[in-house]
Amino acid sequence: MRETYLTIVLAPLIAAIVAGLFGRRIGRAGAHVLTIAGVGLSFGLSAWVLKSHAIDGVPVFNEALYTWGVVSGLRLEVGFLVDNLTALMMCVVTFVSLMVHVYTIGYMQEDPGYQRFFSYISLFTFAMLMLVMSNNFLQLFFGWEAVGLVSYLLIGFWYTRPSAVFANMKAFLVNRVGDFGFLLGIAAILQYTGSLDYREVFTAIPALQGETIRLIPGVEWSVLTLICLLLFVGAMGKSAQMPLHVWLPDSMEGPTPISALIHAATMVTAGIFMVARMSPIYELSETALMTILLIGSATAFFMGLLGIIQTDIKRVVAYSTLSQLGYMTVALGVSAYSAAVFHLMTHAFFKALLFLAAGSVIIAMHHEQDMRRMGGLWRRLPITYVTCLIGALALIGFPGFSGFFSKDALIEAVAESHLPGAGIAYVAVLSGVFITAFYTFRLIFMVFHGPERFTAAVGHDDETHGHHDDHGHHGAHVPHESPWVVTLPLVLLAIPSIFIGAMTMEPILFGDFFRGVITVAHSHDVLGELAAHFHGPLAFVVHGFQGPAVYLALAGVVSAGYVYLFNPGVAEFFANRFIPGRLANWVLQRKYGFDALYIQGFAGMGRALGRLFWERGDMDLIDGRLVNGTAQRIVAWAAKGRALQSGYLYHYAFAMLIGLTLLLGWMLFIR
């Protein structure tokens, strides 16, 4: 099995290296064939590994493959931990990545950076695999930073565009904040357990209960709570939880395929996976769980509201990702780790589907992304429309679709929790159901239904509307369905978006799929409470009609249809005439002030301090007084010293005589 695991990880890496270094020699076809073959091989082997562990009962693989160094008895190793959680994540990552690779052939066909893009997305897959397969914190941190690095390269892929450069720098800096906390958490684990290996840490961590640390004089902190919160700060950055969420919407500056890969299966799921993997630690701190619960519920609710006002088709889906990540985080907060991972899996399929469907629309619209310039596209893009509708139904939790099983189970788990803050979280996630349905079908109705608004829009050159022309096309044309390399991944992603929830719900949520992998304290076992009333997927669908979530979703769809199909003046009235609506619109347009706080506040203050230090410190003090001032004084002294060098012999003889007289006087009288 060791060779199989190495092949899964190294196949995308080797393909990325060859495509990146020898892209010109192998050409466009060579680059996409090689990288697709590498990721396809990884997916095939990952599916086999999942079958072996989940069905055939192959034992957990936990071994070090390479010792990087030994420092004072601490072994720094590269190793794999492959259990059911790892195998599930491997399959999700490689399948979505494979679909994105195939899709990219059509989306990026005329881009001059074609080979470079394939190299990057294959490298992204390698980085995420290293993260999910790690068996120690050193390798986890390597994968953690590697996905951050490659996301920086991909968000700023079109590096000649100032907005892309700003977006990738924003993502890089925000994630550095989260990663600093993450690194401190790993350092604390090393200090208190003496190891970086998961197995050894999980064995040693219960002994830290009751252990405290004094960070502020007179204030004692639980060591376990501190470790959990520091690790979660890293998760807040990677999985874009408030207030470290601001980078994710701007990541839309990258090409659409990478939006799907980042938002669906790789970088943003890293934090959710990490907390689930660290469940033996988090179960020992209710304070940390409560913090996670409240942050997740705030993200789910408030980020969903921002999706309502977006006009860029990709940004609507981006804010949807933020909201759904909040749902997963809420599940982590109530110790429903299995529900969080289950929603992560189903969400990966339908969110990748929605992003790629949005990309297909963008291609058809000549790279126009403003939904106000679309409409009536369902006749012209039938495959894109049907698959996008499937993704939308899965996202809102329509009964029978995959999102229904994962989201409703998650909401029920929150309702069963007795942790402080669970009531607030329950209201937030239920409200989010209506909000999600509203902005999702607002997108469907504005893009695919209603009058055709694209006649004057296609080929529009107004730069204020962004990315309508990523590949240099100009001139109007009638929208038509995308080529098969674009629509085939949509169809293949639509299939699990419908069926994967019903097929896997029982073993993942209520079975023993995660037995021995995820730890849940008996007092926190909310899924155990639900399991007593679970009688199969069909009964779960019937039960769904007895709760409020289904009807809230229906109300959201109906409201969106009324506002954006039958009475568009309602939206205009609430946004511009109704005073509370105007206030809400003002707040939402400014994204709750986070961007202003970070850009004009923190970054502006940093630039002001830098300017002050530059002008007063560097230019005035260092350059002006120390460096240049010292040089000027030396020059002045040298000018005066030159007066002593007259060149006349009697001047030198006189100086020697005076010197000799002083020397003799010192020897005779002073000594």
Side-chain angles (χ1 to χ4, degrees), residues 199-220:
R199 180 167 48 193
E200 295 177 5
V201 170
F202 294 159
T203 301
I205 211 76
L208 297 180
Q209 294 187 77
E211 188 85 19
T212 60
I213 184 174
R214 185 173 297 176
L215 299 176
I216 303 172
V219 180
E220 300 286 342

Side-chain angles (χ1 to χ4, degrees), residues 157-351:
F157 182 78
W158 287 311
Y159 52 83
T160 58
R161 182 183 295 161
S163 57
V165 175
F166 175 82
N168 72 351
M169 185 58 69
K170 187 176 182 180
F172 183 83
L173 292 175
V174 172
N175 274 277
R176 294 293 68 73
V177 175
D179 293 353
F180 181 66
F182 188 62
L183 189 58
L184 288 177
I186 294 175
I189 286 173
L190 177 60
Q191 178 179 347
Y192 283 94
T193 67
S195 177
L196 292 174
D197 183 84
Y198 290 166
R199 180 167 48 193
E200 295 177 5
V201 170
F202 294 159
T203 301
I205 211 76
L208 297 180
Q209 294 187 77
E211 188 85 19
T212 60
I213 184 174
R214 185 173 297 176
L215 299 176
I216 303 172
V219 180
E220 300 286 342
W221 276 71
S222 164
V223 169
L224 283 174
T225 297
L226 179 64
I227 289 173
C228 290
L229 292 178
L230 287 173
L231 292 177
F232 184 66
V233 169
M236 288 169 64
K238 281 290 180 289
S239 293
Q241 296 299 290
M242 293 176 67
L244 300 182
H245 65 282
V246 294
W247 67 271
L248 192 60
D250 287 351
S251 68
M252 298 300 97
E253 292 293 335
T256 298
I258 196 52
S259 300
L261 198 54
I262 288 177
H263 287 241
T266 53
M267 185 169 170
V268 298
T269 62
I272 307 301
F273 165 80
M274 184 275 294
V275 176
R277 174 63 79 193
M278 301 301 141
S279 60
I281 304 177
Y282 279 92
E283 281 303 287
L284 301 177
S285 174
E286 284 200 354
T287 302
L289 291 175
M290 182 180 67
T291 303
I292 293 171
L293 176 63
L294 294 177
I295 289 175
S297 58
T299 304
F301 179 76
F302 290 109
M303 294 301 106
L305 288 176
L306 290 181
I308 295 175
I309 66 165
Q310 302 302 311
T311 56
D312 184 309
I313 185 173
K314 286 171 63 176
R315 285 184 179 267
V316 174
V317 188
Y319 279 106
S320 167
T321 299
L322 280 169
S323 181
Q324 296 306 306
L325 287 168
Y327 274 85
M328 299 174 208
T329 304
V330 166
L332 296 173
V334 297
S335 297
Y337 305 99
S338 299
V341 175
F342 185 46
H343 193 51
L344 183 158
M345 177 191 68
T346 61
H347 175 265
F349 296 121
F350 60 72
K351 186 51 61 68

Side-chain angles (χ1 to χ4, degrees), residues 499-511:
F499 300 111
I500 197 71
M503 293 171 58
T504 60
M505 181 183 190
E506 185 168 0
I508 290 179
L509 290 186
F510 308 119

Side-chain angles (χ1 to χ4, degrees), residues 408-443:
D408 266 42
L410 190 157
I411 294 171
E412 292 291 331
V414 176
E416 293 289 338
S417 177
H418 301 291
L419 276 178
I424 297 173
Y426 182 67
V427 173
V429 294
L430 266 185
S431 303
V433 172
F434 173 84
I435 295 168
T436 300
F438 186 86
Y439 67 66
T440 301
F441 272 82
R442 170 179 177 265
L443 181 152

Side-chain angles (χ1 to χ4, degrees), residues 1 45 148 213 266 316 381 459 578 604 611:
M1 295 295 285
L45 292 176
I213 184 174
T266 53
V316 174
L381 311 175
F578 187 55
R611 191 178 303 111

